[in-house]
Amino acid sequence: VYAGTGEENFSLDSYQGCGVLVSTDGGATWTQNGAGTFIASNGTAAVSKILVDGATAGSTTSTVVLASTAAGLYRSTNSGSTWTKVLPGVTTDLVASPNAGEYYAAVGYLFDAAATDVFPYHAAGVTWTRVTGFPTTNVGRISLGITSAAPVLVYATVQNSSTFGLLGVWKSGDGGATWAQATATGASCSSQCWYDMYITVSPAHPATVFFCGFNLYRSIDSGATFTAITGGGANTVHVDQHALTFDPQRPDTMYAGNDGGIYRSVDGG
């Protein structure tokens, strides 16, 4: 088990991390790895996402592991013992394509930065290629969504670095080669997209997309329109959404992580 520590949400009270923790006994005991790599002497020390390469998973010595962090994207070929930076910049998200060895990483920051973009790469992180056709003005934090139901479908939600609200939702239907902006009517994170913004796609229904901002929103038309599914009535869930994931065996069972804890839905939200 690999745990990336630190809260990469850019608030003044966000918790700082202690590197990557590795357990080889199912979580009974843990070893701190990469302290010198991931713990910054100044600035944010945070790991936003850990992904394990499926082809090499299970080894205590030769598993390939990726970590997106506030200091860049890192890769380990020895089960997290040592790490090499493969992309510079603040890496806010990392997702694995259903195609073996293919990943997408988001490099961005709440304030507009040079070379902010989404970077896809193939062959387990050996070569990175910057995508084209993606917005380049007022681009801040970026979150990515992908689904096992459609390997070439990738979503990206982008914070407006000028207003700190939502710049928009972009979609690629060809594995990141070209991008088009989705209408995304109804999706919102108020002026907090720098802090709470997340997008994910149903593993069973590629047209069902969830946008996480101040509240949770669901689209059943591939991101054209979103409807709030939390924030009122009997379905009250704490605000400020930071994570959403699915039970891989039961795609209608979902877990949402926010400022109030972890919430579960067993009926697709």
Side-chain angles (χ1 to χ4, degrees):
V1 184
Y2 299 85
T5 67
E7 182 186 355
E8 199 187 37
N9 289 319
F10 309 114
S11 64
L12 292 177
D13 60 352
S14 290
Y15 285 93
Q16 302 301 292
C18 64
V20 173
L21 305 179
V22 182
S23 173
T24 59
D25 53 16
T29 60
W30 295 83
T31 300
Q32 181 190 30
N33 286 6
T37 301
F38 299 115
I39 299 179
S41 58
N42 51 33
T44 301
V47 180
S48 63
K49 185 75 71 70
I50 289 277
L51 286 182
V52 178
D53 172 53
T56 59
S59 169
T60 59
T61 58
S62 58
T63 293
V64 174
V65 188
L66 295 170
S68 62
T69 81
L73 180 67
Y74 288 82
R75 181 173 182 259
S76 171
T77 59
N78 53 13
S79 304
S81 295
T82 59
W83 298 83
T84 301
K85 183 184 288 190
V86 294
L87 276 180
V90 179
T91 311
T92 54
D93 206 0
L94 175 69
V95 294
S97 166
N99 295 327
E102 182 179 4
Y103 298 86
Y104 299 87
V107 178
Y109 187 52
L110 62 158
F111 303 111
D112 194 21
T116 297
D117 212 329
V118 176
F119 292 79
Y121 81 89
H122 305 272
V126 175
T127 302
W128 284 87
T129 303
R130 181 174 175 171
V131 304
T132 59
F134 201 75
T136 56
T137 303
N138 293 326
V139 174
R141 180 178 183 167
I142 302 171
S143 178
L144 301 171
I146 201 164
T147 173
S148 56
V152 296
L153 182 62
V154 188
Y155 284 85
T157 181
V158 184
Q159 169 232 330
N160 188 319
S161 62
S162 177
T163 66
F164 300 103
L166 181 64
L167 183 67
V169 176
W170 274 260
K171 180 172 62 173
S172 173
D174 52 14
T178 58
W179 294 81
Q181 186 172 3
T183 309
T185 303
S188 174
C189 41
S190 187
S191 59
Q192 294 189 168
C193 288
W194 60 273
Y195 174 66
D196 48 29
M197 183 186 69
Y198 199 82
I199 193 166
T200 187
V201 190
S202 167
H205 311 289
T208 301
V209 184
F210 294 87
F211 178 87
C212 310
F214 189 72
N215 290 307
L216 284 170
Y217 302 84
R218 179 177 58 200
S219 170
I220 57 173
D221 55 11
S222 301
T225 58
F226 285 85
T227 301
I229 57 176
T230 66
N235 200 19
T236 300
V237 172
H238 202 284
V239 297
D240 295 340
Q241 313 303 318
H242 297 291
L244 188 70
T245 192
F246 302 85
D247 183 328
Q249 304 301 322
R250 303 171 182 85
D252 282 338
T253 296
M254 305 159 52
Y255 295 87
N258 53 51
D259 279 9
I262 299 174
Y263 290 75
R264 181 177 66 184
S265 171
V266 296
D267 58 4

